[in-house]
Amino acid sequence: TQLTATTPYPVIIAELFVMGLGMGATMMPLFTSALKTLKAHEVARGSTLLNITQQIASSVGVAIMSVLLTNHLQASKLAGPAMASLHDPALAAKIPAAAIVKGLEDAAHAFAQTYWVAWVMVLLTLIPALMLPRKHEETHLLEEEGTPPVTVH
């Protein structure tokens, strides 16, 4: 659906929930597939590397979304004052109603553009997920004699 100034919060929450499900449905199989190829003594380092990579990628993703949203909001001279007027009645009295409506529409457009970028990024995670092997992979965790299994978190 198209995000507008009148899009209800439950619709936005539902769309973000579906995006979160998509991330969970693609990232966990990727991580599991990667860790299954490791030997027992490699699992700790592999798990750590995956966690570090996930944290860095998450931080970069949040930074990209923040920069995009900020740039889109700053492109409109009315978006900032219109959003501020929702929380400050004194400010709302000083701004014409038409300017507030236009500013909120600009802000909604900025959020919509940012959500589309997030949606494309989530869609891109399907590419490696679709490249996962379809056959049952052999695990190498128990190949070394005398080494107890390592718990992966």
Side-chain angles (χ1 to χ4, degrees):
T1 63
Q2 180 65 25
L3 186 66
T4 66
T6 59
T7 302
Y9 282 124
V11 172
I12 295 171
I13 291 169
E15 289 176 0
L16 291 174
F17 179 75
V18 170
M19 285 177 62
L21 287 177
M23 285 298 294
T26 57
M27 298 310 285
M28 191 62 194
L30 286 172
F31 288 176
T32 302
S33 182
L35 289 175
K36 283 177 77 175
T37 63
L38 301 177
K39 294 186 173 147
H41 70 279
E42 298 171 324
V43 170
R45 287 187 179 167
S47 177
T48 301
L49 180 63
L50 280 175
N51 284 328
I52 290 170
T53 303
Q54 183 181 22
Q55 293 295 319
I56 291 171
S58 178
S59 298
V60 169
V62 168
I64 289 171
M65 296 297 109
S66 297
V67 168
L68 286 173
L69 180 59
T70 301
N71 286 340
H72 288 304
L73 288 173
Q74 288 179 347
S76 168
K77 294 180 182 183
L78 298 175
M83 290 188 302
S85 72
L86 295 175
H87 302 288
D88 186 358
L91 181 61
K94 296 177 184 177
I95 301 174
I100 292 175
V101 170
K102 172 70 171 121
L104 291 177
E105 287 174 356
D106 290 350
H109 183 68
F111 276 93
Q113 288 178 325
T114 305
Y115 285 157
W116 277 112
V117 172
W119 185 84
V120 169
M121 290 174 76
V122 170
L123 192 61
L124 289 175
T125 64
L126 290 176
I127 294 170
L130 292 173
M131 292 182 185
L132 289 173
R134 299 282 186 238
K135 60 182 176 67
H136 176 67
E137 291 182 20
E138 296 296 322
T139 182
H140 300 286
L141 290 177
L142 300 177
E143 287 183 0
E144 298 172 14
E145 291 292 322
T147 306
V150 177
T151 304
V152 179
H153 62 281

Short mmCIF file of all heavy atoms in Angstrom, two decimals, residues 29 33 126-137:
data_model
loop_
_atom_site.label_atom_id
_atom_site.label_comp_id
_atom_site.label_asym_id
_atom_site.label_seq_id
_atom_site.Cartn_x
_atom_site.Cartn_y
_atom_site.Cartn_z
N PRO A 29 17.89 -19.11 8.17
CA PRO A 29 18.39 -20.20 7.32
C PRO A 29 19.80 -19.93 6.78
O PRO A 29 20.61 -20.84 6.65
CB PRO A 29 17.38 -20.28 6.18
CG PRO A 29 16.14 -19.69 6.73
CD PRO A 29 16.59 -18.64 7.70
N SER A 33 22.77 -22.47 7.69
CA SER A 33 23.48 -23.11 6.59
C SER A 33 24.98 -22.84 6.67
O SER A 33 25.79 -23.73 6.43
CB SER A 33 22.91 -22.62 5.26
OG SER A 33 23.54 -23.27 4.19
N LEU A 126 16.54 -12.00 -0.02
CA LEU A 126 16.02 -13.23 -0.61
C LEU A 126 16.98 -13.85 -1.62
O LEU A 126 16.96 -15.05 -1.84
CB LEU A 126 14.67 -12.96 -1.28
CG LEU A 126 13.51 -12.66 -0.35
CD1 LEU A 126 12.27 -12.31 -1.16
CD2 LEU A 126 13.23 -13.84 0.56
N ILE A 127 17.84 -13.04 -2.22
CA ILE A 127 18.78 -13.55 -3.22
C ILE A 127 19.70 -14.61 -2.62
O ILE A 127 19.74 -15.74 -3.12
CB ILE A 127 19.56 -12.40 -3.89
CG1 ILE A 127 18.60 -11.52 -4.69
CG2 ILE A 127 20.68 -12.94 -4.78
CD1 ILE A 127 19.21 -10.23 -5.20
N PRO A 128 20.42 -14.31 -1.52
CA PRO A 128 21.24 -15.39 -0.95
C PRO A 128 20.39 -16.52 -0.37
O PRO A 128 20.82 -17.67 -0.40
CB PRO A 128 22.07 -14.70 0.13
CG PRO A 128 21.44 -13.39 0.38
CD PRO A 128 20.65 -13.04 -0.84
N ALA A 129 19.20 -16.20 0.14
CA ALA A 129 18.36 -17.26 0.68
C ALA A 129 17.93 -18.24 -0.41
O ALA A 129 17.87 -19.45 -0.18
CB ALA A 129 17.14 -16.66 1.37
N LEU A 130 17.66 -17.73 -1.60
CA LEU A 130 17.27 -18.62 -2.70
C LEU A 130 18.45 -19.44 -3.23
O LEU A 130 18.25 -20.45 -3.90
CB LEU A 130 16.65 -17.80 -3.83
CG LEU A 130 15.29 -17.16 -3.50
CD1 LEU A 130 14.84 -16.24 -4.62
CD2 LEU A 130 14.25 -18.23 -3.22
N MET A 131 19.66 -19.01 -2.94
CA MET A 131 20.85 -19.74 -3.39
C MET A 131 21.26 -20.84 -2.41
O MET A 131 22.21 -21.57 -2.69
CB MET A 131 22.01 -18.77 -3.58
CG MET A 131 21.82 -17.83 -4.73
SD MET A 131 23.25 -16.78 -4.88
CE MET A 131 22.72 -15.69 -6.18
N LEU A 132 20.56 -20.95 -1.29
CA LEU A 132 20.88 -22.01 -0.34
C LEU A 132 20.64 -23.38 -0.98
O LEU A 132 19.71 -23.55 -1.77
CB LEU A 132 20.02 -21.88 0.91
CG LEU A 132 20.34 -20.71 1.83
CD1 LEU A 132 19.31 -20.62 2.94
CD2 LEU A 132 21.73 -20.86 2.41
N PRO A 133 21.47 -24.35 -0.63
CA PRO A 133 21.28 -25.68 -1.19
C PRO A 133 19.93 -26.27 -0.77
O PRO A 133 19.47 -26.05 0.34
CB PRO A 133 22.43 -26.50 -0.61
CG PRO A 133 23.18 -25.62 0.30
CD PRO A 133 22.59 -24.26 0.27
N ARG A 134 19.32 -26.99 -1.70
CA ARG A 134 18.02 -27.58 -1.43
C ARG A 134 18.14 -28.99 -0.84
O ARG A 134 17.20 -29.56 -0.37
CB ARG A 134 17.20 -27.67 -2.73
CG ARG A 134 16.93 -26.33 -3.36
CD ARG A 134 15.82 -25.63 -2.62
NE ARG A 134 15.46 -24.41 -3.32
CZ ARG A 134 15.50 -23.22 -2.77
NH1 ARG A 134 15.89 -23.08 -1.54
NH2 ARG A 134 15.15 -22.15 -3.44
N LYS A 135 19.35 -29.54 -0.88
CA LYS A 135 19.53 -30.89 -0.35
C LYS A 135 19.95 -30.81 1.11
O LYS A 135 20.36 -29.78 1.61
CB LYS A 135 20.59 -31.64 -1.16
CG LYS A 135 21.95 -31.00 -1.14
CD LYS A 135 22.93 -31.77 -2.01
CE LYS A 135 24.28 -31.09 -2.08
NZ LYS A 135 25.02 -31.04 -0.87
N HIS A 136 19.85 -31.95 1.78
CA HIS A 136 20.24 -32.01 3.18
C HIS A 136 21.76 -31.91 3.27
O HIS A 136 22.48 -32.71 2.68
CB HIS A 136 19.76 -33.33 3.80
CG HIS A 136 20.19 -33.51 5.21
ND1 HIS A 136 19.72 -32.73 6.22
CD2 HIS A 136 21.07 -34.38 5.76
CE1 HIS A 136 20.29 -33.12 7.36
NE2 HIS A 136 21.11 -34.11 7.10
N GLU A 137 22.22 -30.93 4.02
CA GLU A 137 23.66 -30.74 4.17
C GLU A 137 24.17 -31.62 5.30
O GLU A 137 23.52 -31.78 6.32
CB GLU A 137 23.98 -29.28 4.50
CG GLU A 137 23.71 -28.34 3.36
CD GLU A 137 24.08 -26.91 3.73
OE1 GLU A 137 24.86 -26.71 4.67
OE2 GLU A 137 23.57 -26.01 3.08
#
